[in-house]
Amino acid sequence: MKKIQVNVADVYGTVSADAIKKLAGRADDAINKLNNGTGAGNDFLGWVNLPSSITPALLGDINATANALKETCEVVVAVGIGGSYLGAKAVIEALSDSFASLKPKTEWPRVVFAGQNIGEDYLAELKDYLSDKKFGIIVISKSGTTTEPAIAFRILKEMLEAKLGKAEAAKRIVAITDAKKGALRQLATEEGYKTFVIEDNVGGRFSVLTPVGLLPIAVAGYDIEQLINGAREMEEATSKAEDDNIAMKYAMTRNALYGAGKKIEILVNYNPKLHYFGEWWKQLYGESEGKDHKGIFPAAVDNSTDLHSMGQWIQDGERTIFETVISVESPERETIIPTDKANLDGLNYIAGKHVDQVNKMAELGTRIAHVDGGVPNIQITLPALKEVYLGQMIYFFEKACGISGYILDVNPFNQPGVEAYKRNMFALLAKPGYEKETEEIKKRIK
Ligand code: PA5
């Protein structure tokens, strides 16, 4: 089986191989902390051995639940935010036909998302779209108390119950939440929904390989066994502190670059299907490392599209940036550039070539220009957009994130900063229990 590859040769103009190697001791230490649970946040390490420990029974239950939704639904709305949204969205987008939503219904239900924003128009338009469809809901919230998905679920649940009645609606709702705690668990128990558990020791942004990501991905018709197989291969390949551990290599390299003043990392793709993979990665690294007033700022661009918007800044702006490029070796489909007799656009010099050959030259040309312009480049090569390689890449980034956070000396598994906006929002909305905060915040906005 092919594996994803990591090449860091194009950073050596900024940091030497020796400077990167100097972090090997810290990376070894990080691997030991992850393996032995001796580092900060060690009650959130359930993801480390998740691929090898997921049982065939659980995968079977997820597939059976997806099949049951397939029997009754044309559309399934996955309701969740952050770690309860981005992983499924990233994998489904990476594997889907770019125009799937405009094409006739396929064998599997369409998966659409809600609860990832508080957009009134978004929800009104979603309700319009669902009004003449048979739909079901997967509601995902680890805490079971997050406001955005709770609002969306309340609206969609009311709509489904109005359509089908309470009892029938309950058969089309699946809840993924904590085993015991939270409002969603209580609701699911009272209403008799099918449920899956998010284990206590798996944080939201590390939960894509649990039912949180796997159920929506299975409902969309993709092979979750292959996704897990890929992750399992990567779990094995990155479990020991060895020279060829690519998660260590990436973690060490980005920390060496950070130490050399490169404070921003952009995850770059040359395949629009990877846009949401960039969004998932931003959450993973942003929430894990951005704390104690430290951490690389994670951003993402879709090339070549963004070469025409962000390209100028990257090539020529402040030299505080490096890039990690995900390069997909082979496209799934074939499109050849035709010959044109008149050749008014002057493109006959590339006639007969695959579109991807041109894309690869755009990628290579950009890499050379960026490296020349002082933007170090890490290259991650993905053999193809297939479940197995996406599984490898997900686990690779998760493992590298844990190592990188420990090298940086932060707790990579908490997110205390996320609470600040919630406290203010609840105070502004006069949520019961927030009376004192409401009073205080009102003084500030007069
Ligand atoms: O990574 C995290 O923990 C967060 O982004 C959560 O995933 C997000 O806030 C959603 O939380 P919950 O699943 O509890 O609704």
Side-chain angles (χ1 to χ4, degrees), residues 22 33 41 75 140 165 201 257 265 270 275 306 321 371 396:
K22 277 196 184 134
K33 284 178 178 161
V75 180
I140 309 167
N201 62 0
L257 288 166
E265 177 178 10
Y270 283 82
H275 172 82
D306 289 339
I321 193 164
V371 172
F396 159 77

Side-chain angles (χ1 to χ4, degrees), residues 407-425:
I407 293 177
L408 185 67
D409 204 17
V410 296
N411 173 354
F413 307 115
N414 64 3
Q415 54 282 330
V418 179
E419 295 310 311
Y421 97 89
K422 292 185 192 168
R423 201 172 41 247
N424 289 344
M425 179 177 73

Side-chain angles (χ1 to χ4, degrees), residues 44 79-86 140-150 176-177 184 198 202-207 212 283-284 287 413-415 418-419 421-422:
F44 283 102
V79 177
I81 194 165
S84 293
Y85 155 63
L86 284 164
I140 309 167
S141 178
K142 185 176 183 212
S143 62
T145 56
T146 306
T147 308
E148 291 90 336
I176 307 178
T177 189
L184 181 57
I198 312 173
V202 181
R205 58 190 173 275
F206 289 86
S207 70
V212 169
Q283 185 201 0
L284 183 65
E287 275 192 358
F413 307 115
N414 64 3
Q415 54 282 330
V418 179
E419 295 310 311
Y421 97 89
K422 292 185 192 168

Side-chain angles (χ1 to χ4, degrees), residues 424-443:
N424 289 344
M425 179 177 73
F426 293 147
L428 289 164
L429 289 168
K431 183 174 174 169
Y434 283 77
E435 290 75 10
K436 200 165 151 268
E437 287 85 350
T438 301
E439 205 179 301
E440 273 164 20
I441 208 160
K442 271 187 177 164
K443 284 183 208 149

Side-chain angles (χ1 to χ4, degrees), residues 104-400:
K105 186 183 162 332
T106 54
E107 189 199 346
W108 288 90
R110 287 195 202 298
V111 176
V112 300
F113 293 86
Q116 82 282 34
N117 58 47
I118 327 178
E120 183 154 355
D121 291 344
Y122 185 95
L123 285 165
E125 286 158 11
L126 177 60
K127 283 178 73 183
D128 287 350
Y129 171 67
L130 295 173
S131 62
D132 60 349
K133 312 263 183 329
K134 293 185 204 157
F135 75 94
I137 306 170
I138 304 171
V139 53
I140 309 167
S141 178
K142 185 176 183 212
S143 62
T145 56
T146 306
T147 308
E148 291 90 336
I151 292 172
F153 182 56
R154 181 184 274 221
I155 290 168
L156 295 169
K157 173 178 178 283
E158 182 199 51
M159 184 177 174
L160 195 59
E161 287 176 352
K163 251 184 180 215
L164 303 177
K166 224 171 161 51
E168 278 307 302
K171 292 184 193 159
R172 289 207 208 151
I173 297 175
V174 181
I176 307 178
T177 189
D178 187 89
K180 296 190 192 98
K181 297 186 297 284
L184 181 57
R185 169 56 60 184
Q186 193 189 341
L187 185 69
T189 307
E190 276 171 23
E191 307 274 346
Y193 302 151
K194 165 77 184 164
T195 61
F196 288 95
V197 170
I198 312 173
E199 299 297 344
D200 276 348
N201 62 0
V202 181
R205 58 190 173 275
F206 289 86
S207 70
V208 52
L209 301 174
T210 72
V212 169
L214 297 179
L215 182 61
I217 293 166
V219 170
Y222 299 113
D223 189 337
I224 55 172
E225 264 108 1
Q226 282 303 314
L227 193 76
I228 293 293
N229 284 345
R232 217 171 261 160
E233 285 168 9
M234 196 49 62
E235 179 187 327
E236 206 182 311
T238 60
S239 65
K240 295 194 191 94
E242 297 167 327
D243 283 351
D244 61 353
N245 183 326
I246 57 172
M248 285 173 65
K249 188 187 201 178
Y250 174 59
M252 286 155 57
T253 305
R254 61 196 297 284
N255 275 285
L257 288 166
Y258 184 56
K262 301 293 180 187
K263 309 286 185 197
I264 303 166
E265 177 178 10
I266 43 170
L267 190 75
V268 184
N269 70 69
Y270 283 82
N271 187 320
K273 292 184 186 212
L274 287 172
H275 172 82
Y276 276 96
F277 203 87
E279 297 302 303
W280 171 82
W281 173 89
K282 273 163 41 183
Q283 185 201 0
L284 183 65
Y285 280 78
E287 275 192 358
S288 299
E289 294 195 314
K291 51 197 71 160
D292 305 339
H293 297 179
K294 293 195 275 191
I296 295 169
F297 181 79
V301 296
D302 304 324
N303 284 352
S304 69
T305 313
D306 289 339
L307 288 172
H308 299 260
S309 58
M310 295 296 290
Q312 171 63 35
W313 197 103
I314 297 164
Q315 184 67 49
D316 217 15
E318 193 181 48
R319 301 297 68 192
T320 47
I321 193 164
F322 69 98
E323 63 184 358
T324 296
V325 176
I326 302 177
S327 183
V328 182
E329 246 168 6
S330 317
E332 299 300 302
R333 305 280 299 274
E334 185 177 88
T335 311
I336 306 290
I337 299 166
T339 306
D340 184 273
K341 247 192 186 160
N343 194 29
L344 292 175
D345 54 12
L347 284 184
N348 275 354
Y349 76 104
I350 49 172
K353 286 192 190 299
H354 286 258
V355 169
D356 195 57
Q357 286 176 282
V358 179
N359 197 28
K360 292 284 189 296
M361 292 309 108
E363 181 181 330
L364 181 56
T366 307
R367 189 194 322 158
I368 294 167
H370 284 179
V371 172
D372 287 350
V375 181
N377 174 293
I378 299 173
Q379 203 189 346
I380 295 177
T381 309
L382 191 70
L385 284 184
K386 297 205 182 307
E387 287 92 330
V388 69
Y389 302 124
L390 291 171
Q392 288 181 8
M393 188 158 70
I394 286 167
Y395 189 86
F396 159 77
F397 276 124
E398 288 181 351
K399 182 56 88 61

